Amino acid sequence: MFIITSKKYEFECPYTNSEYKKKFDRDIKSYTYRQLRKDFFLSDLYYGKRNDNTIEVHFHQFGKRDLDNPMFVGKLGEGEDNGTKIEGKFKRKTSNLIISLVIIIFWLFITIIGLTQNLTAGLILLAITCLAVYIFLWDNNTLQKIKKYFSEYDTPPESKKENADA
């Protein structure tokens, strides 16, 4: 799936805001680029940060260089039955998107020049350009993996299970 513009996503979980924040802080850690490349290169993990009621979730995949993958940025709110509602967007970092589009434009410009000089060279450059556009904008199923992370919050916390059983 390609993502250029942001996509809205809403999720509701049975945890209260304070329970969700505790679980989020326990599960999601903040890592530097060096740590991801050196220490966690061979593992899948979720990373991000939380500032009060704003969360940011990224997914790092085994053996991939994924700093330009889409991320989830959202806000915590009050949901039904004293739960938490998370509203946000899947998006790319604006700087990464701009750099990718500038490179694609330059590549297209070079392809047009190549087509005017030599048809074979231009067609080869056109094929490389199409491949580059695919690589630049391919998100590696990151959206589904982050949605899978949020689906882990579907089960109510232990305290609510005990209250429901009583």
Side-chain angles (χ1 to χ4, degrees), residues 33-47:
Y33 175 71
R34 181 184 174 282
Q35 288 173 313
L36 287 172
R37 292 291 295 150
K38 189 172 184 180
D39 301 337
F40 299 104
F41 185 70
L42 298 176
S43 61
D44 290 348
L45 74 122
Y46 295 97
Y47 65 99

Side-chain angles (χ1 to χ4, degrees), residues 95-111:
S95 60
N96 291 344
L97 187 61
I98 290 171
I99 289 170
S100 297
L101 292 177
V102 166
I103 290 171
I104 290 169
I105 289 171
F106 281 132
W107 211 320
L108 286 172
F109 183 68
I110 290 169
T111 302

Side-chain angles (χ1 to χ4, degrees), residues 9 11-15 19-20 23-24 26-28 44-47 57-59 84 86 143-158 161:
Y9 181 67
F11 178 76
E12 194 158 330
C13 69
Y15 291 87
E19 290 172 332
Y20 179 82
K23 185 166 174 50
F24 184 86
R26 187 175 57 240
D27 293 345
I28 302 290
D44 290 348
L45 74 122
Y46 295 97
Y47 65 99
V57 180
H58 301 263
F59 178 73
T84 301
I86 303 160
L143 275 64
Q144 287 80 13
K145 292 182 178 152
I146 294 176
K147 286 179 181 179
K148 181 182 170 192
Y149 167 75
F150 284 121
S151 69
E152 293 174 6
Y153 288 97
D154 279 342
T155 58
E158 295 299 321
K161 283 183 184 176

Side-chain angles (χ1 to χ4, degrees), residues 120-166:
T120 307
L123 291 176
I124 291 171
L125 284 173
L126 184 63
I128 292 172
T129 302
C130 292
L131 180 65
V133 169
Y134 179 77
I135 289 171
F136 278 134
L137 300 177
W138 181 46
D139 72 359
N140 208 18
N141 292 326
T142 304
L143 275 64
Q144 287 80 13
K145 292 182 178 152
I146 294 176
K147 286 179 181 179
K148 181 182 170 192
Y149 167 75
F150 284 121
S151 69
E152 293 174 6
Y153 288 97
D154 279 342
T155 58
E158 295 299 321
S159 61
K160 286 194 177 183
K161 283 183 184 176
E162 292 170 3
N163 290 342
D165 292 340

